[in-house]
Amino acid sequence: MAIDLRQDWPAALREAGFDPNARTAWLAEGLLMYLPAEAQDRLFTLIGELSPAGSRIAAETAASHADERREQMRARFKKIAEQIGLEETIDVGELMYRDEHRAPVADWLNDHGWLAAAVSSGDEMQRLGRWVAEVPMADDKDAFSEFVTAERR
């Protein structure tokens, strides 16, 4: 079932048989960076309304990049695209919201009935043995997103 998040997706889920009284798991991966702050808050509010105690959520947050870092990354991606023959049609960076009002996901969840924790994606990659030391931005914590996991209280 496909639905735009601006539509009444909770109603569509219930109509498709979703049981809001059963514990559930949610995954928001590769999504939040494309939402303004109020849309992120609304998404998590609605998820909370559909999640009884014991439900879980995992989310990937957007890394925060200064304008200079974003331009460096844009140039790096362009070079890689040229090397592999990928036609660049969309500047994905232009689709991302840089909203200073965006609440840190773990903080927002902790303030709204969840028990949440965050870990840097760089730290998690190292823990899992998936770290590449030669990554040019390896020493830049702001270049990496965070993984947030939470359980509904």
Side-chain angles (χ1 to χ4, degrees), residues 76-91:
R76 185 174 297 129
F77 291 139
K78 181 177 181 181
K79 181 179 179 182
I80 292 169
E82 289 170 355
Q83 289 173 344
I84 64 173
L86 182 65
E87 182 179 332
E88 188 176 345
T89 58
I90 297 175
D91 181 355

Side-chain angles (χ1 to χ4, degrees), residues 1-2 9 18 23 36 66 78 81 109-111 120 123 129 143 147-148 150:
M1 168 184 65
W9 59 268
F18 179 84
R23 289 184 307 173
K78 181 177 181 181
L109 290 169
N110 281 321
D111 290 342
S120 157
D123 291 344
F147 296 132
V148 175

Side-chain angles (χ1 to χ4, degrees), residues 16-93:
F18 179 84
D19 180 358
N21 297 309
R23 289 184 307 173
T24 192
W26 302 91
L27 175 63
E29 182 180 23
L31 169 66
L32 301 180
M33 67 190 80
Y34 301 109
L35 300 178
E38 66 273 3
Q40 175 179 293
D41 292 353
R42 179 158 171 70
L43 173 69
F44 288 126
T45 297
L46 293 172
I47 286 173
E49 291 171 2
L50 296 169
S51 301
S55 294
R56 295 182 176 266
I57 189 165
E60 174 195 22
T61 67
S64 60
H65 302 289
D67 288 336
E68 182 179 325
R69 168 61 75 191
R70 290 170 69 92
E71 191 53 45
Q72 290 171 351
M73 292 178 70
R74 182 177 286 123
R76 185 174 297 129
F77 291 139
K78 181 177 181 181
K79 181 179 179 182
I80 292 169
E82 289 170 355
Q83 289 173 344
I84 64 173
L86 182 65
E87 182 179 332
E88 188 176 345
T89 58
I90 297 175
D91 181 355
V92 177

Side-chain angles (χ1 to χ4, degrees), residues 114-128:
W114 298 82
L115 181 58
V119 62
S120 157
S121 60
D123 291 344
E124 186 67 0
M125 286 185 281
Q126 287 178 337
R127 185 184 76 79
L128 296 171

